Amino acid sequence: KAISSVHLANKEFPSDEYTNVTPKIISYLGKNLHLQKGNPLAIVRKRIVNYFYSSFTHRGNPIFSIYDNLSPIVTTKQNFDDLLIPNDHPSRAKSDCYYVNKDILLRAHMTAHQSELLRSGLDNFLMIGDVYRRDEIDSTHFPVFHQVDAVRSQRKEELFKDHPDLEIFEPAFDISNPHTFVNTITDPSKQSCHTLEAAKLMETQLKSHLIGLVYALFGKDIKHRWVDAYFPFTHPSWELEIYYDGDWMEVLGCGIVRNEILANAGPNNSIAYAFGLGLERLAMALYKIPDIRLMWSKDSGFLSQFQDKNIDEKITYKPVSSYPQCTNDISFWLPTTLTVDTFISNDFYDLVREIGGDIIEQVKLRDKFVHPKSKKHSLCYSIVYRHLERTLTQDEVNKVHKHIETAVTDMFNVTIR
Ligand code: PHE
């Protein structure tokens, strides 16, 4: 339904063909679970902050500053352009982000604040907050989650304090005129502007600092591995995986900040690393929390298990009790303008969430079908309903399900089978 403006954080934003934030999503702004004492996300946040505060000090004072109250409403410049994310990059797609309009969106990662904080002159900082992404619906995905992002920069005097003869930059690179040098990333081990010594020393530090963090959270017995990765804003880049519950689980992305970003932020003679990690994944693994929706629980049976605890104490979540699931299928014929491959599943997931709210546990695609004669396309999804705090009646589920059928029919012009 067309709305001419979006009301957000006491402001009006003009809407346009990009607008896809929903009232339900808007209702999560300002909840700040990472700042709610006793929320598992706030406990993990605190443990991460403590690690950086105690490991990195200068004359007894922490060197990292913390930003955990930055507005999640950002520009496409902050979220993408400033981070060298190309115009045609898939992460900009309307199907993946919550846009307020074509210039403004709910940040999709905390890295969206990196450039502005660098520009303000900061060199070591953590950015913590809620991020928004359109995705599938299951026990590990929720459209709002929380990230800790960081930047650590060093100048030559600090990085090479034991080797004053070494340099951060290649001789051909002119610090006072950075834009005259084409900084390439074709060498997998470093950016062309950096010396191998600087890139390697930063990589070693980055990896050991992050392993230190994982050990501080999970204990020294945790198994880990590094996987080469690609991010437009770092080079080289890696992902860190830990072995948890019989499987490798990705916990963070990181790398050496592209020198263009540092140079665009102002005069620069340093090299920096950056990383970003998701708090939900860590909290779910640390405390054995089986469903991401529990982070939003107001139920005392849940919260009391985390409240008034020493944050370094081992906490294992004990399900208060598990209520039954209820699965209803929905199948529909698509209008002739759509095929099973052009139908945007994330649009459907958002609508299901918008109507079903937090009792939606999972939405699974069961079947894609093209009728051999009529050539009409049809889709079938299973919607799994479960309330986290009580038993749902079949009657109650049927009502919500009917409501979803009506809304899907109106919104996508489909025919329920
Ligand atoms: N922003 C990246 C993400 O959300 C994580 C990241 C941050 C990677 C900083 C590298 C450097 O996946």
Side-chain angles (χ1 to χ4, degrees):
K1 266 142 245 166
I3 29 174
S4 61
S5 74
V6 181
H7 189 80
L8 255 184
N10 284 322
K11 271 200 260 176
E12 293 293 328
F13 295 87
S15 61
D16 60 23
E17 70 286 358
Y18 261 75
T19 308
N20 64 2
V21 283
T22 64
K24 177 86 191 159
I25 293 299
I26 292 175
S27 76
Y28 295 117
L29 268 80
K31 292 274 190 267
N32 292 335
L33 295 186
H34 60 290
L35 301 177
Q36 301 305 311
K37 210 171 158 293
N39 188 289
L41 300 175
I43 299 177
V44 180
R45 169 210 129 93
K46 190 85 210 299
R47 294 183 64 189
I48 295 172
V49 168
N50 285 354
Y51 171 79
F52 282 96
Y53 270 180
S54 59
S55 315
F56 303 92
T57 54
H58 178 69
R59 302 197 177 138
N61 293 313
I63 63 164
F64 277 91
S65 42
I66 298 194
Y67 292 81
D68 57 14
N69 224 337
L70 299 163
S71 168
I73 307 164
V74 301
T75 59
T76 48
K77 178 174 182 296
Q78 290 173 293
N79 201 85
F80 304 115
D81 305 345
D82 284 350
L83 294 167
L84 316 177
I85 300 177
N87 267 322
D88 57 359
H89 196 271
S91 67
R92 294 188 185 240
K94 233 180 105 172
S95 59
D96 288 38
C97 301
Y98 286 105
Y99 280 94
V100 175
N101 57 42
K102 71 172 184 353
D103 304 314
I104 297 173
L105 73 158
L106 303 182
R107 64 188 167 211
H109 55 178
M110 287 307 292
T111 322
H113 301 286
Q114 179 177 292
S115 279
E116 63 189 276
L117 293 179
L118 285 168
R119 211 168 289 131
S120 75
L122 292 165
D123 44 16
N124 297 292
F125 52 93
L126 298 173
M127 303 159 269
I128 310 175
D130 38 331
V131 301
Y132 296 76
R133 284 189 208 171
R134 304 182 72 202
D135 214 326
E136 16 199 295
I137 300 185
D138 63 30
S139 64
T140 61
H141 289 92
F142 200 75
V144 192
F145 59 101
H146 298 77
Q147 286 187 323
V148 175
D149 240 64
V151 172
R152 161 140 179 76
S153 329
Q154 290 177 97
R155 284 187 309 230
K156 173 186 146 110
E157 303 75 55
E158 192 183 353
L159 185 65
F160 291 129
K161 62 176 175 312
D162 305 324
H163 295 276
D165 51 315
L166 296 178
E167 297 290 338
I168 287 180
F169 294 102
E170 287 288 348
F173 179 80
D174 179 2
I175 295 174
S176 58
N177 232 337
H179 298 287
T180 58
F181 183 92
V182 186
N183 187 23
T184 64
I185 54 168
T186 43
D187 178 345
S189 60
K190 69 179 197 69
Q191 300 172 37
S192 63
C193 68
H194 292 141
T195 62
L196 190 59
E197 292 81 4
K200 283 292 169 197
L201 185 50
M202 283 300 281
E203 174 180 345
T204 306
Q205 291 189 1
L206 169 59
K207 289 182 172 174
S208 82
H209 295 164
L210 289 173
I211 296 301
L213 173 64
V214 165
Y215 283 171
L217 293 174
F218 288 90
K220 294 250 183 335
D221 292 332
I222 191 86
K223 280 202 281 178
H224 75 269
R225 69 179 185 196
W226 290 101
V227 179
D228 289 335
Y230 171 80
F231 300 103
F233 33 94
T234 50
H235 184 80
S237 309
W238 302 273
E239 277 167 0
L240 176 57
E241 297 185 344
I242 61 171
Y243 197 71
Y244 169 74
D245 207 12
D247 229 333
W248 288 102
M249 175 174 89
E250 180 207 321
V251 291
L252 61 84
C254 64
I256 308 299
V257 177
R258 290 271 296 265
N259 192 62
E260 294 87 326
I261 298 175
L262 299 172
N264 289 341
N268 167 59
N269 51 9
S270 60
I271 181 169
Y273 72 61
F275 69 83
L277 59 82
L279 284 177
E280 272 78 355
R281 287 241 181 124
L282 290 175
M284 289 175 79
L286 274 169
Y287 307 130
K288 310 241 181 314
I289 298 172
D291 191 305
I292 194 168
R293 291 175 298 163
L294 282 162
M295 303 298 171
W296 298 86
S297 175
K298 295 186 192 76
D299 187 72
S300 63
F302 177 77
L303 290 172
S304 63
Q305 299 192 30
F306 301 94
Q307 256 143 18
D308 307 313
K309 291 271 161 56
N310 167 353
I311 62 166
D312 290 315
E313 189 178 323
K314 183 174 161 62
I315 308 171
T316 303
Y317 172 66
K318 290 172 222 56
V320 191
S321 62
S322 186
Y323 298 93
Q325 291 180 327
C326 215
T327 304
N328 283 17
D329 287 355
I330 179 167
S331 332
F332 44 82
W333 294 110
L334 295 175
T336 48
T337 47
L338 285 174
T339 70
V340 290
D341 300 312
T342 57
F343 180 73
I344 310 275
S345 53
N346 280 353
D347 288 342
F348 173 67
Y349 298 152
D350 269 327
L351 186 66
V352 172
R353 264 230 225 256
E354 196 62 21
I355 290 165
D358 292 348
I359 66 168
I360 306 297
E361 179 170 278
Q362 203 181 344
V363 180
K364 295 182 278 201
L365 176 62
R366 289 188 58 102
D367 192 35
K368 289 181 179 184
F369 171 74
V370 183
H371 191 279
K373 288 223 184 79
S374 72
K375 300 279 183 266
K376 276 173 64 170
H377 288 222
S378 134
L379 289 168
C380 177
Y381 290 92
S382 286
I383 305 182
V384 182
Y385 298 86
R386 186 191 335 237
H387 200 293
L388 290 171
E389 282 131 20
R390 63 183 178 81
T391 300
L392 292 170
T393 66
Q394 186 65 52
D395 223 38
E396 179 175 15
V397 169
N398 290 348
K399 280 204 186 100
V400 177
H401 197 73
K402 255 263 93 55
H403 193 167
I404 291 174
E405 289 183 342
T406 315
V408 172
T409 308
D410 290 351
M411 179 100 139
F412 305 113
N413 199 19
V414 303
T415 314
I416 301 291
R417 295 178 62 173

